[in-house]
Amino acid sequence: MAPFDPELLTESLIVLLYALVAAVLTAGGALAEYSSLQQFGAGETTVALWLAAFGLVLLYAGLYKIGYERVALRVLEARGYGSR
Amino acid sequence: MVDDVLLSVVIVSLVALAVVVSGLLAGYSWSRIDHPVSDSYSLLMTADCLWAGGYLVMILASGPLIEVGLVVKATFSTLAGVAWLLFVSEYTGDSEWIPGWVWPVLTVEAVAFGVLVAINPGNLVIAEIAVGQFGIGTFAVESAGVLTEIQLLLSGGLVVVSLVFLGRFMLQTSSVYRYQALIIFLTGLVVMVSSTLFVQGFRIHPLVDPTPILFNGQAIAVGWALYRYDFLQLAPVIITRFFRDMNDPVVIINDEFVVAEYNRAADRLVEGLGERVPLTEIDDETFTTTMRSTLSATEGDVEFTAARDDGIERTYDLEVTEVTDQFDITQGHIVVMREITERKRRERRLRKQNERLEEFADVISHDLRNPLSTAMGWTELTREELAGSDPDRTRAREGLEHVEQSHERMEELIDLLLTMARQGQTVDETEPVSITSCAESAWKTAETDGLDLVVETDRTVDADFSRLRQALENLFRNANDHGGASTVFVTDTAAGFAIEDDGNGIPATDRDSLFEFGYTTDDDGTGIGLAVVKRIIEAHGWQITVATREGGGAKFEIKTGSTGLGSPNDSRR
């Protein structure tokens, strides 16, 4: 078993927090897209477009900016793939 | 550097101004707590005030006070984000569906973040505090650690959510609130963008954090929109919903006779109604002409009849209110359509009933006058007879007998009238009455020559015997006079009992008015019999309906409901 490393612990905690934020943002984005579809079905096209656009922003932030750039890259780096 | 001095003075003054103004606004909106969204706006202003206050300490103080200012600033900037979302969600009405636990959770999270800032474990929250000479003094500014970055993402997320609410509200509200919401939305967007830029490192000066000033400026602008123009005597969402969902159709027409606004009820009522549609282009011709005459006419009483989606014709009374501006110039008209279908129907029914009452009075006076004139005639003859020198006693007695007969007839008629008036009174004392014995007793006096009575029920009801007997008697007489029947049946039904006959039955057209006072299909009838029946039945708290008997004939069903005692073979008794 590896010796206890506080830096590793904080690092994993931070990745975990980022993952949480990414999950929340992605869920929010998905929710926005879903209600966009609902609004579209109800004939409220402008509101639907509005929600769709915001949903896309949230999905971009959640999946790419945080999910990929902050979480996935760090995890990959930590496993030793990133450095090569 | 002169520029730096100027800039630093401006910044310090702006932050100080933000503290003072947001503090005043917090107090002011708290004093107007009756005003909608005032409480959450007051919370927002308090958080803003302390946020800017913390920053003011950071840029004016030195030494350990800088850290205190930083903790205050970090805590209350986070709380300001929460208060902002609370304020916006109450403004747009979205707070209705947001679960209550969200707010305490977010508040606790913000306070926890403040504690983290104070401890700053491993410099994860605050990477460093840069202190440097800037213009008139030493400014301090922090650079965000990774945890602050995460917190900013969360706070930013709240602002994004608020923008979604505001945007949707703006698009769905078709009123003055749209512009107010637009102002709030735009200020929110400006703050969002500038905060992002600040975090990303784009700064007007490396030692300056403009976000507290911006956020305050925004909140103050919003407060100005809320209170200066007093748009919100009620939360906009309430007015919007009230207008949208009210039952009376409302159409607002501008001075160029173009539809400015309308609600759902109006949309359902009028075909082809739309915003910015000129009156002349609406498909519904009746509506267009009615509106035209309403708006041009000086008298207010204009009626409009139309069929709604459900196909039922409804009549509306149009009430027009002129909308004028501060110069008393007409800007448009609000047309409220009040449904008066029921009133119209009642008016018609009342008119008919009045007509029938008049006819009835005619019948009565006619019928009374006949025997009266007969009696008067015989009285005159008898007097002449007796005035002679040799009165014939037998003829005089005969004359008096005629007078007596006429009086009897008149008494009968008066009795009928009294019955009519009395039977409407409610029944006070009841006893268990066997339908069979009551029907047989009524049969004896009903003058039903040649008809047979068949009783097929052993039900007992709670009733006033003599009055029920009167009702049955009238029903039997009705079968005898109008039915062409040979047998009358008294039968049992699920909810009471029924009087049926095997005659011609009652035409459907007569059924509605059958029980009305003075209604008769017979030239000799008084139109009292069945009206009396209905009054007696209803005085018992029962109901009477008329139907067709299986195989033809009339069927009067009497629903005694729970007041009946049920039949004797009922297992509960």
Side-chain angles (χ1 to χ4, degrees):
Chain A
M1 206 179 134
F4 178 71
D5 183 353
E7 209 153 300
L8 195 66
L9 181 72
T10 40
E11 184 66 18
S12 356
L13 264 178
I14 283 163
V15 171
L16 198 70
L17 279 176
Y18 268 122
L20 201 70
V21 170
V24 168
L25 288 179
T26 310
L31 197 70
E33 293 300 335
Y34 175 71
S35 38
S36 162
L37 278 181
Q38 301 271 51
Q39 295 282 355
F40 189 75
E44 301 258 14
T45 324
T46 355
V47 180
L49 283 176
W50 170 259
L51 285 169
F54 254 102
L56 279 182
V57 171
L58 285 172
L59 285 178
Y60 170 75
L63 289 177
Y64 183 77
K65 287 306 277 184
I66 302 174
Y68 174 70
E69 285 186 359
R70 299 279 161 91
V71 181
L73 282 187
R74 269 180 212 228
V75 172
L76 290 177
E77 206 173 322
R79 292 178 123 208
Y81 298 118
S83 52
R84 266 167 238 169
Chain B
M1 237 165 74
V2 182
D3 277 354
D4 269 5
V5 171
L6 187 66
L7 188 60
S8 66
V9 169
V10 168
I11 301 265
V12 171
S13 340
L14 278 178
V15 175
L17 188 72
V19 174
V20 172
V21 174
S22 56
L24 287 176
L25 272 173
Y28 176 69
S29 59
W30 192 253
S31 75
R32 297 198 54 180
I33 200 78
D34 53 315
H35 201 95
V37 302
S38 257
D39 46 353
S40 53
Y41 183 69
S42 182
L43 285 178
L44 174 64
M45 283 290 103
T46 310
D48 272 6
C49 174
L50 291 164
W51 176 5
Y55 185 53
L56 194 63
V57 170
M58 275 183 79
I59 56 179
L60 290 182
S62 56
L65 265 183
I66 290 179
E67 274 182 46
V68 174
L70 175 62
V71 171
V72 171
K73 182 184 121 173
T75 311
F76 285 99
S77 61
T78 319
L79 280 172
V82 179
W84 169 256
L85 182 64
L86 177 69
F87 165 72
V88 168
S89 66
E90 279 185 6
Y91 179 81
T92 60
D94 285 295
S95 57
E96 273 174 26
W97 60 265
I98 297 176
W101 54 261
V102 167
W103 307 113
V105 165
L106 287 175
T107 308
V108 167
E109 195 277 332
V111 173
F113 176 69
V115 173
L116 274 180
V117 171
I119 305 167
N120 194 16
N123 287 352
L124 282 173
V125 188
I126 303 298
E128 65 161 332
I129 302 174
V131 182
Q133 189 66 31
F134 173 51
I136 52 161
T138 6
F139 271 44
V141 73
E142 79 281 11
S143 50
V146 66
L147 284 180
T148 301
E149 223 170 282
I150 293 174
Q151 178 58 52
L152 284 172
L153 282 171
L154 183 66
S155 295
L158 297 187
V159 177
V160 170
V161 170
S162 79
L163 292 183
V164 174
F165 289 169
L166 279 169
R168 209 198 46 203
F169 178 75
M170 215 159 62
L171 295 171
Q172 282 181 337
T173 311
S174 52
S175 64
V176 284
Y177 299 115
R178 182 178 274 180
Y179 301 103
Q180 201 179 34
L182 182 68
I183 293 172
I184 301 177
F185 175 80
L186 285 179
T187 56
L189 197 66
V190 166
V191 170
M192 176 82 188
V193 169
S194 60
S195 305
T196 313
L197 289 178
F198 171 73
V199 174
Q200 297 291 325
F202 299 98
R203 301 179 184 190
I204 48 167
H205 188 279
L207 285 171
V208 171
D209 173 6
T211 44
I213 302 171
L214 283 167
F215 207 88
N216 262 285
Q218 171 213 24
I220 291 163
V222 169
W224 178 68
L226 289 186
Y227 294 112
R228 169 65 182 82
Y229 286 106
D230 234 350
F231 280 74
L232 305 172
Q233 281 305 334
L234 282 168
V237 63
I238 296 175
I239 289 189
T240 314
R241 286 200 186 148
F242 172 72
F243 176 70
R244 195 187 61 195
D245 296 336
M246 67 187 281
N247 284 328
D248 293 335
V250 180
V251 179
I252 301 174
I253 301 201
N254 74 7
D255 55 336
E256 283 150 354
F257 296 100
V258 174
V259 175
E261 294 256 3
Y262 58 94
N263 64 0
R264 282 185 182 176
D267 191 34
R268 279 196 295 270
L269 182 71
V270 183
E271 195 81 25
L273 204 56
E275 254 177 78
R276 284 184 279 280
V277 174
L279 266 187
T280 44
E281 282 174 27
I282 294 174
D283 295 341
D284 196 321
E285 192 124 334
T286 356
F287 177 75
T288 315
T289 34
T290 314
M291 277 304 210
R292 276 256 192 84
S293 59
T294 311
L295 295 178
S296 54
T298 38
E299 86 271 22
D301 212 22
V302 178
E303 281 169 13
F304 169 60
T305 305
R308 238 149 82 164
D309 288 352
D310 51 14
I312 300 169
E313 278 245 314
R314 287 161 212 266
T315 309
Y316 292 86
D317 185 41
L318 301 193
E319 193 189 285
V320 182
T321 312
E322 206 175 354
V323 183
T324 53
D325 62 10
Q326 67 266 43
F327 309 110
D328 271 349
I329 296 168
T330 305
Q331 293 294 323
H333 292 88
I334 300 174
V335 183
V336 180
M337 295 179 242
R338 198 157 293 141
E339 197 185 328
I340 51 165
T341 319
E342 192 50 43
R343 202 178 80 195
K344 282 263 146 199
R345 200 177 294 152
R346 224 177 295 137
E347 267 173 25
R348 262 199 305 273
R349 213 184 297 146
L350 218 61
R351 206 179 302 132
K352 263 191 191 167
Q353 206 170 6
N354 274 344
E355 280 166 15
R356 251 183 241 123
L357 260 174
E358 230 163 81
E359 277 171 33
F360 175 69
D362 286 348
V363 169
I364 292 293
S365 62
H366 177 256
D367 284 12
L368 270 177
R369 193 157 283 145
N370 265 344
L372 185 65
S373 46
T374 316
M376 280 159 83
W378 281 108
T379 311
E380 192 59 32
L381 280 176
T382 312
R383 180 183 295 163
E384 273 170 23
E385 190 61 50
L386 291 173
S389 50
D390 182 23
D392 183 341
R393 288 191 172 219
T394 329
R395 286 190 63 181
R397 202 170 290 123
E398 258 177 42
L400 281 179
E401 263 166 31
H402 282 294
V403 173
E404 208 179 354
Q405 274 169 16
S406 293
H407 282 166
E408 271 166 16
R409 173 74 186 132
M410 284 161 76
E411 196 183 11
E412 250 172 58
L413 279 170
I414 288 166
D415 275 351
L416 252 176
L417 264 178
L418 283 178
T419 316
M420 190 63 230
R422 278 183 196 142
Q423 295 301 0
Q425 292 166 5
T426 48
V427 171
D428 296 325
E429 283 183 21
T430 57
E431 52 183 342
V433 172
S434 149
I435 302 276
T436 315
S437 64
C438 194
E440 277 163 1
S441 162
W443 189 258
K444 281 178 198 150
T445 49
E447 296 161 23
T448 47
D449 322 314
L451 256 69
D452 291 322
L453 176 71
V454 178
V455 181
E456 293 169 344
T457 175
D458 47 9
R459 192 178 277 271
T460 307
V461 292
D462 243 346
D464 180 323
F465 184 88
S466 63
R467 291 177 72 181
L468 180 58
R469 187 183 170 285
Q470 164 93 53
L472 293 177
E473 194 182 312
N474 287 11
L475 283 171
F476 295 153
R477 207 176 289 147
N478 182 68
N480 184 57
D481 296 349
H482 307 287
S486 63
T487 314
V488 177
F489 304 88
V490 179
T491 56
D492 208 41
T493 64
F497 58 98
I499 316 296
E500 308 176 28
D501 65 55
D502 55 358
N504 307 325
I506 291 153
T509 47
D510 286 344
R511 277 182 200 168
D512 288 339
S513 30
L514 193 63
F515 293 111
E516 279 173 28
F517 196 66
Y519 181 86
T520 179
T521 53
D522 198 325
D523 292 341
D524 300 332
T526 51
I528 290 181
L530 290 179
V532 169
V533 171
K534 189 177 166 72
R535 286 187 178 211
I536 294 174
I537 296 303
E538 284 176 354
H540 279 87
W542 303 340
Q543 279 181 327
I544 182 161
T545 49
V546 64
T548 304
R549 182 176 184 258
E550 263 177 73
K555 178 175 186 179
F556 291 92
E557 281 179 309
I558 292 145
K559 279 191 197 135
T560 57
S562 55
T563 55
L565 293 179
S567 62
N569 50 8
D570 193 322
S571 58
R572 283 168 299 180
R573 286 187 181 271

